[in-house]
Amino acid sequence: MLHTVSIVNGKSLGGAGDSITVKNPSDLSEIVGEVTFSTPETAQEAVQAARVAFPKWRRLTGDERGRYLYAMGEALERHLDEVATLASQEMGKPLAEMKGEVIRGVNLLKYYAAEGVRAVGHVIPSSAQNVLQYTKRVPLGVAALITPWNFPVAIPIWKLAPALICGNTVVWKPAENASLSAYKLMEVFMEAGLPEGVVNLVIGRGQDVGAYLSEEAPIDVLSFTGSTGTGLSVAAGCARRNVKYQTEMGGKNAAIVLNDADLETTLPAIISGAFRSAGQKCTATSRVIVEEEIFEPFIESFIENMKAVKLGHALEHGTYLGPVASKEQFEKVQHYVQLAKSEADVIYENQEAIGYDGYYIHPLIITGVSSDHRLFQEEIFGPVVTVMKVKNFDEAIHLLNQTPYGLSGSVFTNNISHALRFLDEADIGMVRVNLETAGVEYQAPFGGMKQSSSHTREQGQAALDFYSIVKTCAIKY
Ligand code: ADP
């Protein structure tokens, strides 16, 4: 059985904390592995190891660092099936989707590998005679990465790869219930022969190891993805010490469907945004705001299209959405399901029998709540969608903006004015026309507005700005 511990300086360390047995959320009778947590002392050792490794790593040429990243990408490609299967068993995302996530990880590693030989600054004409003035991006030092469980492969890599190519060394703390996948990923990365201490994995709990990293550890930069509550406290811990940080947090994403939308293409996009990964994406579609003229045909078509949405074991072929990832997640989403059943009108609930004892939540579509209702305001992170009827585009935009979050959103329309006004007026970071709210690309910046992020961006070129700092150099000759 897979047993997970921390890896510091390339060596596995027995954890001094408590242990848990990981059960497959698709089938709780199946034991997937065991996790032994480390304590903040191990995190301290990991930070020290990363600190020692930093001077040599930063002195490598970008080309040399890029070769390591490329080799990590190739190693991951070789182990694609193994990594995807384990991650599916650990968190319940359907295997086909998890494979897509691993491929995204491979692409991220190769994309950032190539950044090693790209420009790191600009020449800026000096006002003085005979002075060469230019900027140069340099690494920050030790980067702490705190990652969630919903994208156990892609999110760690989209932090790790830009951090490393910029010349930082890393201490990575994955989510408790993504520890097995994290350990497996580290084993794969070690095949690329990274120098000791450049990437260190600390398997630990958020409240002690996570808190140590954000509040005390001598780190230089921290990147966090998770819930808004935790993100705000991580941000405060970093700001107090002037550690550079970024936080990617929650969302309450809406899709607007206007009268002229093409329902044949709109519905698959809304269903995918709402129910893939059982709604456990920060960019998941959680609200659908529909113009009144198209409301009835939209609902009819929604219910019709839901026939293709099969709930089942994550490793079974044809499963559209698997279980939610954990007992805590199950209880939290069930709470919203009960709330919906008692305070909203249920439009659709899938009733399929599953045949396994797992954390299954049947997809649920509801309506009949006001805009200040918890179901319309709070992040559910499960397969529950709230639909609301509005009079016109203006009311739709107003409602869309009426939550504390601002991560992603879509409008479905063929009206160019409405599409462009949506792109301008929606207070959200990822604005999409005739596309689902989820599904962003690795080479483009990712992030939200309002309470969804620290107003920084990840992925693409934006990540390079985050994991480095600009020096302004001047030479008199
Ligand atoms: P979720 O509720 O989706 O599990 P969290 O925000 O609690 O999201 O978790 C995201 C990541 O933050 C995980 O790696 C978790 O261990 C970590 N974490 C949880 N609490 C803290 C904390 N107080 N300080 C730092 N990290 C934390």
Side-chain angles (χ1 to χ4, degrees), residues 50-62:
R51 177 70 60 207
V52 170
F54 174 59
K56 256 197 178 158
W57 181 248
R58 80 175 297 178
R59 268 203 303 276
L60 293 183
T61 63

Side-chain angles (χ1 to χ4, degrees), residues 146-149 173-176 204-207 210-211 214 224-227 230-231 233-234 381:
I146 300 181
T147 56
W149 46 264
K173 194 212 88 65
E176 290 83 333
R205 291 201 176 272
Q207 75 262 17
S214 50
F224 165 92
T225 300
S227 59
T230 307
S233 89
V234 165
F381 230 62

Side-chain angles (χ1 to χ4, degrees), residues 178-335:
S179 298
L180 298 177
S181 309
Y183 185 80
K184 180 81 213 163
L185 265 185
M186 272 297 278
E187 278 189 337
V188 169
F189 291 158
M190 283 179 350
E191 284 183 17
L194 278 172
E196 267 184 18
V198 168
V199 180
N200 304 278
L201 172 73
V202 184
I203 299 292
R205 291 201 176 272
Q207 75 262 17
D208 54 13
V209 170
Y212 166 74
L213 289 173
S214 50
E215 283 164 27
E216 286 175 54
I219 54 166
D220 302 291
V221 54
L222 184 147
S223 179
F224 165 92
T225 300
S227 59
T228 295
T230 307
L232 294 177
S233 89
V234 165
C238 290
R240 219 177 288 125
R241 316 186 281 142
N242 203 26
V243 166
K244 186 175 187 183
Y245 68 87
Q246 69 178 184
T247 51
E248 278 308 326
M249 306 178 281
K252 185 68 183 176
N253 315 298
I256 294 177
V257 182
L258 297 181
N259 287 338
D260 68 327
D262 170 13
L263 290 184
E264 217 170 290
T265 52
T266 299
L267 260 312
I270 287 186
I271 288 173
S272 175
F275 299 116
R276 287 225 182 259
S277 283
Q280 301 170 114
K281 297 182 185 179
C282 46
T283 51
T285 308
S286 185
R287 302 177 294 154
V288 185
I289 300 169
V290 187
E291 246 187 320
E292 63 187 2
E293 246 172 67
I294 203 176
F295 190 80
E296 293 306 327
F298 172 81
I299 297 292
E300 237 172 70
S301 183
F302 203 167
I303 294 169
E304 181 59 30
N305 275 265
M306 286 303 290
K307 285 186 188 149
V309 176
K310 300 283 174 214
L311 175 64
H313 193 297
L315 297 184
E316 246 160 45
H317 183 69
T319 292
Y320 193 98
L321 76 161
V324 295
S326 63
K327 185 162 183 276
E328 297 76 56
Q329 193 57 21
F330 180 79
E331 284 167 359
K332 188 184 140 205
V333 180
Q334 272 301 347
H335 167 79

Side-chain angles (χ1 to χ4, degrees), residues 65-83 102-111 113 157 185 187-193:
R65 285 196 298 269
R67 283 169 201 275
Y68 282 113
L69 260 73
Y70 203 85
M72 287 162 77
E74 288 193 317
L76 186 55
E77 216 164 6
R78 281 195 300 277
H79 293 283
L80 193 160
D81 286 342
E82 247 171 279
V83 171
V102 178
I103 291 167
R104 184 193 177 113
V106 172
N107 290 338
L108 277 156
L109 284 160
K110 293 185 175 175
Y111 169 81
I157 294 177
L185 265 185
E187 278 189 337
V188 169
F189 291 158
M190 283 179 350
E191 284 183 17

